[in-house]
Amino acid sequence: MTQRILLLSAYDAASHQRWREQLVTMLPDYHWQTLALPPRFFQWRIRGNPVSWLHQPGLDESWDLVIATSMVDLATLRGLHPRIANTPCLLYMHENQFAFPVSDQQRGRVEPQMVNLYSALAADAVVFNSAWNRDSFLQGVEGFLNKMPDAVPGGVIETLRERSSVLPVPIEDRLFIEQPRSVNRERPHLLWNHRWEYDKGPDRLFGLLEQLEQRKLDYRISVVGEGFRSRPQAFDRIYQQFARRIEHWGFLEHRQDYDQLLRSADIVVSTALHDFQGLAMLEAMASGCLPLAPDRLAYREYVPADCRYRSLESDPGGESLVAAERLVRLLKKPPELNPPQGWRASELAPKYQALVQQLMARA
């Protein structure tokens, strides 16, 4: 009989959707059923998903494994549905709310953090998409517990660490180029391919471009990514001040156009203050781009040291300066391309398979 997996995605953002669809494709020998909620109304969604799914018949069926993403309130779901309570559960942490930067309006909201913590405690296994994600989560939980005034149980961090592992979101094999390509050192094509939000550091990108202009560096740039109704003013400033440098601007509707851009750019740039794995960087590196990223977050796990610039989170101007200096050095003597082979789907599929089978054996 085919083993059955229930896949839950409570805030089905683009990266979450892509991961779950890829997981089903990589592991075709199971019967899959997915419950997903749209990625909007974040505060309501992360706390209210058990109510939204209260009468979903799938939660009362028999499953061999439940896989839930980090926005799912797994503890509450297991309490409301006896079948889920007695089924092995894997929690996949795309991000964690302890390390997620928040705006001034969001400060002091601990409920999203509590959902992450309770879900991790309720899961049989917790899988993170990067070691940095795992470590920042455990550090955040420790800090959270230290704030509790009394009745703090012992061994929580040790328990969570024991059930935690790292398995990245895979990069499709088709994106990896077979032959290394050379960097256009005379007029490089820079690519900034991130969400158009404040935590991706668009103000630092503006500062970097100002530094390049001061150095009279000839370059082209594409600024692409998912945009929203409200976006940081830095994007308007970039478009107005550097329009003559821009090759592509905004969101590319068709995936084939985006893939072509990845293959045509020379250097993929990150200025992010938050990136739990960095799919945009990994995809561009697989496609032959040289990376330029700050020395922080998950970038230390796959961006070579000579492609990372000093992290100065509290000094945007200083960070833009060191980023420009690093870029100039890269162009003078580009290092050999180092595609992230360990993040290939074909490399990771057997590891996902082994984990799934291990958890199913507990049933």
Side-chain angles (χ1 to χ4, degrees):
M1 183 180 295
T2 303
Q3 292 173 301
R4 292 160 48 84
I5 301 177
L6 178 62
L7 182 52
L8 305 174
S9 181
Y11 195 85
D12 205 37
S15 59
H16 295 211
Q17 180 180 357
R18 175 186 162 184
W19 170 80
R20 64 173 174 80
E21 290 176 348
Q22 195 171 19
L23 188 60
V24 172
T25 300
M26 286 194 309
L27 305 178
D29 295 333
Y30 303 103
H31 169 82
W32 293 85
Q33 181 173 324
T34 299
L35 296 180
L37 293 170
R40 55 177 182 259
F41 312 125
F42 171 80
Q43 294 291 337
W44 282 102
R45 188 72 81 226
I46 193 170
R47 200 66 185 93
N49 58 82
V51 177
S52 298
W53 283 331
L54 186 61
H55 299 304
Q56 278 288 343
L59 291 168
D60 296 317
E61 295 179 17
S62 178
W63 301 97
D64 295 290
L65 178 66
V66 173
I67 300 178
T69 60
S70 42
M71 298 296 185
V72 173
D73 185 350
L74 186 59
T76 300
L77 277 175
R78 296 191 89 170
L80 292 171
H81 301 276
R83 285 290 184 92
I84 301 301
N86 295 311
T87 303
C89 289
L90 183 158
L91 181 69
Y92 191 84
M93 299 291 287
H94 288 274
E95 66 283 298
N96 77 80
Q97 296 302 312
F98 293 96
F100 210 106
V102 295
S103 63
D104 291 336
Q105 292 80 13
Q106 294 174 315
R107 293 194 186 282
R109 294 181 178 176
V110 299
E111 285 213 10
Q113 296 176 349
M114 294 170 72
V115 169
N116 275 180
L117 173 56
Y118 294 165
S119 293
L121 290 171
D124 297 282
V126 186
V127 180
F128 295 84
N129 58 0
S130 71
W132 182 81
N133 188 4
R134 177 199 60 200
D135 295 345
S136 62
F137 172 74
L138 293 174
Q139 290 167 9
V141 170
E142 185 172 20
F144 181 85
L145 296 176
N146 287 338
K147 293 177 182 178
M148 290 182 64
D150 63 0
V152 182
V156 172
I157 302 302
E158 291 74 14
T159 297
L160 291 174
R161 184 176 285 112
E162 287 175 4
R163 69 180 59 164
S164 295
S165 60
V166 175
L167 268 180
V169 175
I171 305 301
E172 296 171 74
D173 283 42
R174 65 176 184 81
L175 291 175
F176 285 79
I177 60 170
E178 297 301 324
Q179 298 294 330
R181 51 189 179 86
S182 59
V183 173
N184 183 341
R185 297 167 61 186
E186 302 303 319
R187 191 167 183 252
H189 182 181
L190 310 181
L191 172 63
W192 191 94
N193 57 339
H194 309 274
R195 278 185 293 102
W196 287 28
E197 294 188 282
Y198 74 98
D199 60 295
K200 298 302 183 183
D203 55 327
R204 293 162 194 257
L205 174 63
F206 180 85
L208 169 61
L209 298 182
E210 281 192 318
Q211 290 290 335
L212 299 183
E213 294 293 334
Q214 290 179 20
R215 289 165 170 74
K216 302 188 184 305
L217 183 74
D218 193 13
Y219 66 93
R220 299 165 292 147
I221 186 165
S222 292
V223 180
V224 300
E226 186 179 7
F228 304 91
R229 289 182 183 178
S230 177
R231 70 186 193 194
Q233 292 182 351
F235 288 105
D236 295 329
R237 294 168 62 203
I238 291 169
Y239 188 78
Q240 292 165 7
Q241 189 159 328
F242 306 105
R244 64 190 177 87
R245 301 286 192 185
I246 293 172
E247 287 279 315
H248 297 277
W249 182 262
F251 184 73
L252 294 178
E253 293 288 343
H254 301 291
R255 178 70 206 205
Q256 59 267 32
D257 294 334
Y258 181 64
D259 290 347
Q260 179 58 42
L261 176 59
L262 295 181
R263 291 188 293 269
S264 65
D266 294 297
I267 298 177
V268 61
V269 178
S270 175
T271 51
L273 295 166
H274 144 243
D275 219 344
F276 287 100
Q277 177 174 334
L279 277 175
M281 294 293 287
L282 284 160
E283 287 188 339
M285 290 173 65
S287 301
C289 289
L290 200 64
L292 177 70
D295 186 25
R296 57 175 173 255
L297 309 171
Y299 300 136
R300 292 174 176 172
E301 296 170 43
Y302 56 84
V303 174
D306 54 1
C307 294
R308 301 196 304 263
Y309 55 87
R310 190 151 52 99
S311 176
L312 300 170
E313 289 190 42
S314 60
D315 182 7
E319 187 166 279
S320 296
L321 175 62
V322 296
E325 292 172 346
R326 176 63 69 182
L327 177 58
V328 169
R329 287 200 295 273
L330 286 177
L331 291 173
K332 284 183 179 178
K333 189 178 180 181
E336 289 187 13
L337 291 176
N338 188 21
Q341 299 292 349
W343 280 255
R344 278 181 178 266
S346 56
E347 292 282 332
L348 291 171
K351 298 178 181 179
Y352 274 97
Q353 173 77 49
L355 178 61
V356 165
Q357 284 299 124
Q358 176 187 347
L359 287 170
M360 285 181 171
R362 298 183 184 182

